[in-house]
Amino acid sequence: NAGVTQTPKFQVLKTGQSMTLQCAQDMNHEYMSWYRQDPGMGLRLIHYSVGAGITDQGEVPNGYNVSRSTTEDFPLRLLSAAPSQTSVYFCASCSSADRAYQPQHFGDGTRLSIL
Amino acid sequence: GEDVEQSLFLSVREGDSSVINCTYTDSSSTYLYWYKQEPGAGLQLLTYIFSNMDMKQDQRLTVLLNKKDKHLSLRIADTQTGDSAIYFCAGARSNDYKLSFGAGTTVTVRA
């Protein structure tokens, strides 16, 4: 049982380049989300999805796009990378089946540096 | 969303108890969580508490919730070197899956 898998683990980009951070989960979770983690700021929500075909913006969506064509995958796209997007990115998922207990399962993160 | 605040650093001697504190602003928070992040890893859910509870104990972990003061704490008994990590508190409303995180408390366990 792999849980939440993020690829790549590390990436260095030049300003203006584009790339896609991959996230896949094998738990059939409806809800998936992307966070970025910056020193002293905790995790901030970028985008989230409550099911295939449905996405919405979080707290810091600018410069990022997402899509949810399948339940398993939730890729995050950087359209034109900027140094301010240097961060550690986490993908998370949880099931909507049990609203009384909503543990979010996190991937190991993608460490992204923009030069 | 809501604001969640934590102290940034805590140093504790091995074998002592650690207490990590958190305050939140949103009284609608129904679920409150503690996550642990070890170096280079993702977030691991440690424990959680519902807003209708005052305390929850799980082995070495004790969570206390003071709803009046919007204060949450995590106590780790008999702290070990493996407890050195960043600890995040997070909150969510009952009708929302979005988590609001504090900045994280870096716990360092010294011999």
Side-chain angles (χ1 to χ4, degrees):
Chain A
N1 190 349
V4 179
T5 302
Q6 291 185 237
T7 56
K9 294 190 184 304
F10 302 93
Q11 184 70 49
V12 178
L13 292 178
K14 294 181 180 178
T15 297
Q17 286 185 313
S18 62
M19 82 160 292
T20 299
L21 279 62
Q22 301 292 344
C23 176
Q25 51 91 9
D26 60 359
M27 297 171 283
N28 203 32
H29 285 169
E30 297 89 350
Y31 181 81
M32 296 185 73
S33 55
W34 277 102
Y35 291 86
R36 59 177 288 172
Q37 181 182 20
D38 301 294
M41 300 186 72
L43 278 74
R44 293 180 291 168
L45 182 65
I46 305 171
H47 285 285
Y48 65 97
S49 168
V50 298
I54 305 169
T55 64
D56 208 343
Q57 296 181 349
E59 182 185 353
V60 288
N62 292 342
Y64 307 94
N65 275 359
V66 291
S67 59
R68 185 90 181 273
S69 56
T70 66
T71 300
E72 293 78 20
D73 300 299
F74 191 43
L76 178 72
R77 296 184 190 84
L78 280 70
L79 306 174
S80 178
S84 61
Q85 293 178 305
T86 293
S87 188
V88 182
Y89 291 85
F90 288 100
C91 179
S93 74
C94 73
S95 171
S96 62
D98 184 358
R99 295 194 66 92
Y101 176 48
Q102 303 168 4
Q104 297 217 15
H105 300 259
F106 282 81
D108 286 339
T110 294
R111 283 144 186 85
L112 183 63
S113 294
I114 315 295
L115 304 179
Chain B
E2 63 171 299
D3 289 331
V4 179
E5 294 187 358
Q6 301 176 240
S7 53
L8 294 182
F9 301 100
L10 176 67
S11 178
V12 62
R13 188 174 302 173
E14 188 175 9
D16 288 351
S17 293
S18 308
V19 179
I20 307 167
N21 294 303
C22 173
T23 57
Y24 59 97
T25 58
D26 189 351
S27 58
S28 299
S29 292
T30 301
Y31 309 104
L32 294 155
Y33 304 90
W34 283 103
Y35 282 88
K36 176 184 180 182
Q37 184 183 33
E38 296 182 3
L43 274 68
Q44 171 194 356
L45 179 69
L46 281 180
T47 187
Y48 63 96
I49 192 168
F50 301 146
S51 61
N52 61 355
M53 301 165 66
D54 297 322
M55 185 184 83
K56 180 180 180 183
Q57 188 152 3
D58 185 0
Q59 299 181 357
R60 292 192 298 124
L61 306 178
T62 303
V63 180
L64 295 177
L65 175 60
N66 181 328
K67 289 184 286 294
K68 174 177 173 291
D69 294 337
K70 298 189 182 67
H71 182 265
L72 181 73
S73 67
L74 174 69
R75 177 177 180 271
I76 305 173
D78 187 25
T79 309
Q80 303 298 309
T81 55
D83 295 323
S84 292
I86 303 176
Y87 292 80
F88 293 94
C89 68
R93 298 176 177 176
S94 60
N95 61 347
D96 199 344
Y97 295 101
K98 291 177 282 186
L99 289 171
S100 294
F101 283 88
T105 300
T106 299
V107 173
T108 302
V109 181
R110 61 186 191 277

